[in-house]
C-alpha cells in the first residue's frame, strides 16, 4: 500500500517561473518510491507570470485539491495592473512612485508574512476529509510564499499524528528583498516570531542552499536536510559550438538591484578594444527585466546589441540556453544573497554551455559552479578577471571551438536523483 503525502504549494501550473518546477517534479517522481501524492493548490490564483506549456507536465497519477484564495493583488491591480504585476515579480524601480511605495508598505506591514496569508483558512477546510482519512500522512509545505508554512503549523496543532516537513526554497527573514518592504518594528518582530515558531514546530526542515541551512541550524535544533533544485530536461547532446553571433544570454528576472554594471562596462570596453567584437556581440535577455536595467544597458551604449525577448515559455527558454555561446548568471552583490541558488542554474548545467556568474564573494553559486566545472564565478569587483574570461570565450568562438562541457558531474542534480533523497528524508522522519 502506498504511503500518503500531502504537498501544499501556492505555485503550480500554469504558474511560470522556477518556483513551480521544484514540487511539480517531486510530485512526478515520488510515486516511484511508494508514495501516493496529493497536491493542494489555489483554485483561482493571480500568478505574476503564466506558462501554459507546463500544464502538460502535471503527473496524471497525482491527486489535486483546490482551495479558493483571495488575492489582494487583484484589488491593487484595479489601481494599476502593470505596477501591481511588477511588484509581484519583484520589479520595483529605484525611483518608485508614491503609489508603488504605498503598495510596498501595505504589503510589508499589513500582510504578514505575505499577501497570501488569507489562503490558510480555505486550505484548512479543503483538507479536512483527506486528513480524517489519512491521519498519519506526511505533510509538506513549500515557501515562499512563507504563509504556506503557517498552514503546516496549524495542521500540526490540529493533527499531531502527521509528520510535517517545511521546505524553504528561499530564506524567510533574511531574504534580500525584506529590507525593501519598509517593515516597521512591529512587522519585523512578527516575521521573526512566526519564522521561529515554524522552525521549532516542523518535524524536519528542507533547504535549497548551504547558507540557509547554516542560518536555520543557528536558530533551531530541528533536523535539517539540504535538497537543492535540479533539472528534468534531457541534457544537451550537441556539444559543438552553436551557429550565429557571440550570444551572451540571461534567462530569468533581472531586478533593478541586480544591475551588473561591471558586466555592461566590460562589454562596452571590449566593443572598443577588440576588432569585430561589437559586430559579433548579441546580448539576449529572456524574462521580466526592470526598466532600470534597460536604462543601464543604454547608458553603456549596448542597446543596439540587445535582444530583449521578454518572458518565454519553459521550452523556449531551454532552446535559447542551448543556442547561446555564454550563459549569464547574475546575483545581487549583498550578504543576503549568498544563500540564493537560482533554479535556472541547474538547467544551465544541463545546457552544457559555458557559464559566467556574477555575485557576492562567498556565494553558494560559486561553490556549485566550481564543483561542476561548468563555468567561472566573479564577484562584483573582479572586472579585469571578468574581461579576461569574456575575451577567452570570444577567442574560442572566433576559432569555432567554443564547445560545451561533457563532464557527468551534473547528474547528481537530476530531479529523479533528488527525489530519491527526498524519499529517504520522509522515511527518516517516520523512523
Amino acid at each position: 500500500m502506498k504511503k500518503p503525502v500531502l504537498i501544499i504549494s501556492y505555485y503550480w501550473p500554469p504558474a511560470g517561473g522556477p518556483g513551480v518546477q521544484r514540487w511539480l517534479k517531486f510530485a512526478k517522481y515520488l510515486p516511484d518510491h511508494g508514495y501516493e501524492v496529493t497536491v493542494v493548490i489555489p483554485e483561482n490564483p493571480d500568478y505574476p507570470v503564466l506558462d501554459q506549456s507546463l500544464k502538460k507536465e502535471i503527473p496524471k497519477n497525482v491527486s489535486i485539491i483546490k482551495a479558493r484564495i483571495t488575492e489582494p493583488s487583484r484589488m491593487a491591480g484595479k489601481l494599476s495592473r502593470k505596477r501591481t504585476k511588477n511588484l509581484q515579480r519583484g520589479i520595483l524601480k529605484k525611483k518608485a512612485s508614491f503609489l508603488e511605495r504605498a503598495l510596498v508598505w501595505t504589503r510589508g506591514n499589513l500582510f504578514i508574512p505575505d499577501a497570501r496569508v488569507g489562503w490558510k483558512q480555505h486550505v484548512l477546510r479543503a483538507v479536512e476529509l483527506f486528513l480524517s482519512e489519512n491521519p498519519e500522512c506526511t505533510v509538506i509545505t513549500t515557501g515562499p510564499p512563507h504563509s504556506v508554512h503557517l498552514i503546516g503549523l496549524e495542521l500540526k496543532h490540529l493533527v499531531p499524528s502527521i509528520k510535517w516537513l517545511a521546505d524553504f526554497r528561499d530564506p524567510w527573514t533574511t531574504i534580500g528583498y525584506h529590507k525593501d518592504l519598509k517593515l516597521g518594528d512591529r512587522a519585523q518582530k512578527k516575521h521573526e516570531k512566526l519564522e521561529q515558531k515554524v522552525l521549532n514546530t516542523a518535524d524536519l526542515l528542507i533547504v535549497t542552499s548551504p547558507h540557509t541551512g547554516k542560518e536555520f541550524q543557528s536558530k533551531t535544533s530541528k533536523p535539517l536536510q539540504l535538497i537543492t533544485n535540479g533539472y528534468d530536461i534531457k541534457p544537451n547532446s550537441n556539444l559543438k559550438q552553436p551557429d550565429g553571433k557571440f550570444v551572451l544570454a540571461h534567462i530569468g528576472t533581472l531586478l533593478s538591484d541586480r544591475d551588473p554594471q561591471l558586466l555592461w562596462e566590460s562589454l562596452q570596453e571590449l566593443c572598443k578594444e577588440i576588432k569585430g567584437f561589437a559586430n559579433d556581440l548579441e546580448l539576449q535577455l529572456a524574462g521580466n527585466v526592470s526598466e532600470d536595467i534597460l536604462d543601464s544597458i543604454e547608458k553603456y551604449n549596448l542597446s543596439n546589441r540587445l535582444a530583449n525577448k521578454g518572458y518565454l515559455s519553459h521550452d523556449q527558454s531551454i532552446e535559447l540556453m542551448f543556442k547561446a555561446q555564454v550563459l549569464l548568471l547574475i546575483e545581487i552583490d549583498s550578504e543576503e544573497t549568498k544563500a540564493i541558488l537560482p533554479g535556472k542554474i541547474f538547467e544551465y548545467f544541463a545546457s552544457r554551455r559555458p557559464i559566467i556568474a556574477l555575485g557576492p564573494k562567498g556565494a553558494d553559486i560559486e561553490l556549485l559552479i566550481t564543483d561542476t566545472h561548468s563555468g567561472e564565478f566573479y564577484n562584483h569587483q573582479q572586472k579585469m578577471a571578468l574581461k579576461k574570461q569574456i575575451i577567452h570565450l570570444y577567442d574560442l568562438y572566433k576559432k569555432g571551438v567554443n564547445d560545451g562541457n561533457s563532464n557527468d558531474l551534473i547528474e547528481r542534480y537530476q530531479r529523479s536523483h533528488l527525489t530519491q533523497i527526498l524519499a529517504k528524508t520522509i522515511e527518516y522522519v517516520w523512523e
Side-chain angles (χ1 to χ4, degrees):
M1 183 176 177
K2 291 199 170 186
K3 294 162 282 189
V5 173
L6 183 71
I7 299 167
I8 304 174
S9 177
Y10 173 78
Y11 290 105
W12 193 255
V20 69
Q21 298 276 339
R22 181 172 174 84
W23 286 96
L24 177 63
K25 299 305 180 179
F26 281 144
K28 173 182 176 180
Y29 290 111
L30 271 175
D32 296 339
H33 299 274
Y35 292 98
E36 185 175 49
V37 177
T38 299
V39 183
V40 183
I41 62 173
E43 182 179 341
N44 55 326
D46 185 29
Y47 292 132
V49 292
L50 299 175
D51 186 347
Q52 300 293 342
S53 71
L54 291 177
K55 284 184 175 180
K56 68 179 184 293
E57 299 187 32
I58 299 175
K60 291 182 171 55
N61 57 349
V62 168
S63 300
I64 302 292
I65 296 175
K66 294 185 178 182
R68 286 191 58 79
I69 185 170
T70 300
E71 296 270 32
S73 56
R74 295 186 191 278
M75 293 177 281
K78 293 179 181 179
L79 299 175
S80 174
R81 193 63 179 160
K82 181 180 178 181
R83 285 172 175 163
T84 302
K85 283 296 181 185
N86 282 340
L87 289 172
Q88 286 180 283
R89 295 164 182 158
I91 300 174
L92 181 64
K93 285 184 177 183
K94 291 180 179 178
K95 295 181 180 179
S97 68
F98 172 79
L99 175 60
E100 288 169 327
R101 293 196 303 273
L103 289 172
V104 168
W105 186 93
T106 301
R107 150 70 176 89
N109 291 274
L110 301 186
F111 296 93
I112 299 174
D114 52 67
R116 278 89 189 203
V117 66
W119 192 39
K120 183 177 79 169
Q121 295 305 320
H122 297 284
V123 173
L124 294 177
R125 287 193 292 270
V127 301
E128 281 181 359
L129 178 60
F130 178 91
L131 289 174
S132 67
E133 296 174 347
N134 302 279
E136 293 188 347
C137 71
T138 302
V139 174
I140 302 174
T141 56
T142 179
H146 293 309
S147 58
V148 175
H149 296 312
L150 303 187
I151 301 171
L153 190 66
E154 185 72 14
L155 290 177
K156 186 66 178 176
H157 172 71
L158 294 171
V159 191
S161 56
I162 66 170
K163 294 296 185 182
W164 170 35
L165 281 64
D167 173 64
F168 289 84
R169 302 191 313 277
D170 287 322
W172 185 334
T173 56
T174 59
I175 197 165
Y177 62 71
H178 247 234
K179 64 180 182 295
D180 298 323
L181 293 178
K182 311 303 179 187
L183 299 179
D185 289 342
R186 183 179 178 185
Q188 180 65 35
K189 289 178 181 177
K190 189 171 181 180
H191 271 285
E192 293 169 355
K193 183 178 179 180
L194 288 173
E195 178 192 52
Q196 194 64 54
K197 201 168 183 179
V198 168
L199 296 183
N200 288 342
T201 306
D203 292 287
L204 185 139
L205 308 171
I206 302 175
V207 296
T208 59
S209 75
H211 264 87
T212 304
K214 291 177 184 176
E215 176 196 340
F216 287 173
Q217 283 176 331
S218 71
K219 294 178 176 180
T220 183
S221 60
K222 284 301 179 85
L224 182 145
Q225 177 65 57
L226 170 65
I227 307 179
T228 67
N229 286 309
Y231 67 89
D232 196 41
I233 61 173
K234 184 178 179 181
N236 190 1
S237 59
N238 181 11
L239 302 182
K240 295 296 182 183
Q241 173 175 302
D243 296 330
K245 286 187 171 288
F246 184 60
V247 173
L248 277 64
H250 180 275
I251 290 84
T253 301
L254 269 180
L255 309 176
S256 298
D257 287 345
R258 200 174 281 164
D259 189 359
Q261 297 203 27
L262 183 79
L263 175 63
W264 310 145
E265 184 178 345
S266 297
L267 293 175
Q268 181 189 47
E269 291 176 3
L270 291 174
C271 285
K272 296 175 182 178
E273 295 168 0
I274 300 178
K275 184 178 180 180
F277 185 87
N279 289 330
D280 291 330
L281 175 66
E282 182 172 305
L283 181 63
Q284 293 185 356
L285 303 181
N288 297 306
V289 181
S290 80
E291 292 181 22
D292 290 320
I293 296 287
L294 298 177
D295 291 343
S296 188
I297 289 172
E298 184 176 2
K299 170 186 169 184
Y300 287 98
N301 300 314
L302 295 171
S303 295
N304 58 345
R305 311 295 171 203
L306 174 64
N308 189 3
K309 304 284 186 177
Y311 185 83
L312 299 180
S313 72
H314 184 240
D315 291 342
Q316 291 171 322
S317 296
I318 299 303
E319 183 181 2
L320 188 149
M321 290 181 198
F322 282 24
K323 292 181 178 179
Q325 296 292 334
V326 182
L327 294 171
L328 300 173
L329 186 67
I330 301 164
E331 194 46 79
I332 300 169
D333 186 20
S334 71
E335 185 70 25
E336 293 87 353
T337 59
K338 289 182 177 180
I340 302 298
L341 288 178
K344 62 173 171 276
I345 192 174
F346 302 98
E347 291 182 336
Y348 273 20
F349 292 162
S351 75
R352 298 190 182 277
R353 303 305 306 149
I355 298 171
I356 289 180
L358 279 173
K361 188 176 181 180
D364 285 342
I365 53 176
E366 179 177 8
L367 180 62
L368 209 58
I369 289 173
T370 301
D371 284 351
T372 55
H373 304 299
S374 56
E376 299 293 335
F377 173 91
Y378 303 96
N379 64 52
H380 286 260
Q381 289 73 47
Q382 293 180 288
K383 178 180 172 182
M384 294 308 297
L386 173 62
K387 283 182 66 175
K388 185 177 179 180
Q389 178 63 8
I390 297 173
I391 292 170
H392 169 67
L393 293 171
Y394 181 65
D395 286 343
L396 293 178
Y397 162 78
K398 294 300 285 184
K399 294 173 183 175
V401 293
N402 187 28
D403 296 341
N405 187 346
S406 61
N407 74 63
D408 59 2
L409 297 173
I410 66 170
E411 292 179 358
R412 72 191 83 167
Y413 300 110
Q414 289 180 338
R415 297 282 189 182
S416 56
H417 174 72
L418 295 168
T419 307
Q420 291 179 23
I421 300 173
L422 174 62
K424 291 178 181 177
T425 302
I426 295 173
E427 291 172 13
Y428 168 79
V429 297
W430 283 103
E431 290 177 353

